[in-house]
Amino acid sequence: MILDKSLGELEEYVLSLGEKKYRAKQLFDAALLLKSLEEISNVPKALKEKVKQEWMCFSVAAHLVSKDGTQKVALKLADGSIVESVLLKYKYGYTVCVSTQVGCRMGCKFCASTIGGLKRNLTAGEILLQVLFFNSQLGGTSKERKITNVVLMGCGEPLDNYENVAKFLRLASSEDGLNISQRNISLSTCGLVPNIYKLADDGFSVTLTISLHAPTDALRKTIMPIANAYTIKEILAACDYYFEKTGRRICFEYSLIEGVNDSDENIKTLAKILKGRSCHVNLIPLNSVKEKKLMGVNRKKAYKIAEELGELGISATVRRTMGEDIEGACGQLRNRIGGEA
Ligand code: SAH
């Protein structure tokens, strides 16, 4: 697909078709605007014919707008797979929350994305498409970008699709492309330790966000199967390495589940294991997922926990819940079968 290619790769491709190199830039710029081939006026028909197979092909299966202005789109890809993405408006600009896989195989007990397992990985271009969709919708271009931030927090586990995600990060931050600074991109992972090291070694500097959700391995194992593969100690060691390499403060996500991980002791233990690290805790009162029995704490309790963590020397905030009425909040994105979105 055309969006999978960097400008350099597109140049090679265009040359291999026996065309002039400058054609690549024309196609590249048109692709970033999500133009259809018919809409491109500065490229000859014969070339369009040659790249037809490569051109992006998608449709909007559903587009919902929440009371709070959050938008959720379900895009139908060439093979019929549906991916959900969310647009969030903040004071400083717009953030797009992208999916990295169709479904997910991590099996977290509280998350809708994992119901039905993993269907397939998304390609770099299919992840980029989600950002470009909202950018062009808002009237933005690559030079006059409307999207300021990207979070890899939709469906899927980014580090379970490492190569495509790495390529997406390069494309999204490339000067030829959207030129989004890696500082403004957050990658959230349930903690695939070897790939946290790889991310650091490959020279990325995105904000690393860890879905921790429990302060002990025993408790974590009851809600997140990945805890059977990697201990919290191993995750924290990988985070320390990432911090040393990048200087980027690590963010820990902690979804507050009533009666599961919200006791005084849980919070004290959490503070103890994070103490001394340059990090931030993002508390998320669990959002409801109809198939799951777990309940979130109320916001008042979440604020109290944030305060308590602060007193224990850990910076913590409560994440705003956005788009819950359109199932666009954390953990509510899911894989749907064609057209059902
Ligand atoms: N697989 C990645 C990306 C998903 S990000 C990861 O695990 O980090 C989505 C974030 O929302 C994660 O922190 C996830 O644990 C959290 N989440 C999942 N289900 C949730 C729910 N029902 N309510 C609140 N947060 C949830």
Side-chain angles (χ1 to χ4, degrees), residues 163 165-175 182 202 204:
E163 293 307 329
V165 164
K167 181 141 201 216
F168 161 73
L169 296 176
R170 287 191 203 101
L171 290 173
S173 58
S174 128
E175 278 181 27
Q182 289 194 18
D202 286 347
F204 289 106

Side-chain angles (χ1 to χ4, degrees), residues 286-328:
L286 194 83
N287 294 309
S288 64
V289 172
K290 58 176 182 289
E291 294 87 342
K292 311 271 179 183
K293 288 193 188 74
L294 302 169
M295 296 272 294
V297 305
N298 60 41
R299 291 193 73 81
K300 206 169 142 201
K301 178 151 187 191
Y303 286 122
K304 212 174 135 253
I305 291 174
E307 213 178 288
E308 194 182 329
L309 282 170
E311 281 159 15
L312 295 167
I314 305 292
S315 130
T317 46
V318 180
R319 181 177 289 173
R320 272 167 67 196
T321 297
M322 295 166 83
E324 204 174 6
D325 55 330
I326 54 168
E327 290 193 343

Side-chain angles (χ1 to χ4, degrees), residues 28-75:
F28 189 76
D29 288 343
L32 288 179
L33 292 169
L34 296 185
K35 284 193 177 169
S36 67
L37 282 172
E38 295 78 59
E39 288 171 310
I40 308 176
S41 54
N42 56 354
V43 168
K45 234 184 171 153
L47 174 55
K48 288 187 189 175
E49 209 42 52
K50 288 187 202 169
V51 300
K52 211 162 134 190
Q53 291 299 324
E54 285 290 320
W55 210 252
M56 63 252 167
C57 168
F58 71 95
S59 60
V60 178
H63 191 167
L64 303 170
V65 181
S66 157
K67 290 193 292 250
D68 62 24
T70 302
Q71 298 186 26
K72 181 170 85 169
V73 71
L75 297 178

Side-chain angles (χ1 to χ4, degrees), residues 16-37:
S16 78
L17 296 174
E19 298 281 342
K20 296 253 168 32
K21 191 171 150 186
Y22 77 93
R23 292 291 184 198
K25 180 85 170 93
Q26 293 176 322
L27 293 172
F28 189 76
D29 288 343
L32 288 179
L33 292 169
L34 296 185
K35 284 193 177 169
S36 67
L37 282 172

